Amino acid sequence: FGFVEHVAADQGSALERTQLVFDPVQQVVAGNCHLHRNTDKLIAGSVAAGLFSRIEEPIERYIVPRMWPIAQQASGVLVR
């Protein structure tokens, strides 16, 4: 299972502050999609929950500046 997700920005960053300000509006206009959710940690937790057997490579976090306010991205591969 390959994934690329927008995730919560790094704690204390300007991007995180922006996400926190706009998150309530985002949830209303985008069907409860959160700007500031630790989706990468939730996905990693699916291994501990037994939904996947392992993470193929460490989950990579990176910034795509042109995608503000969802510039913080994470990608990885999980194996059943």
Side-chain angles (χ1 to χ4, degrees):
F1 170 76
F3 69 91
V4 176
E5 280 285 332
H6 67 87
V7 296
D10 294 333
Q11 188 172 0
S13 67
L15 180 58
E16 181 195 39
R17 289 189 296 278
T18 303
Q19 286 180 339
L20 290 170
V21 167
F22 288 107
D23 193 49
V25 175
Q26 171 77 3
Q27 291 173 47
V28 171
V29 299
N32 204 33
C33 177
H34 291 255
L35 294 174
H36 191 264
R37 183 177 276 168
N38 291 312
T39 311
D40 52 336
K41 291 178 177 60
L42 293 171
I43 291 171
S46 69
V47 174
L51 299 172
F52 291 92
S53 63
R54 70 181 192 281
I55 299 172
E56 186 68 24
E57 297 289 330
I59 294 174
E60 181 180 358
R61 288 176 57 94
Y62 51 92
I63 299 230
V64 182
R66 295 186 321 186
M67 293 182 69
W68 176 93
I70 60 167
Q72 185 76 57
Q73 301 283 309
S75 63
V77 176
L78 299 167
V79 178
R80 282 210 180 252

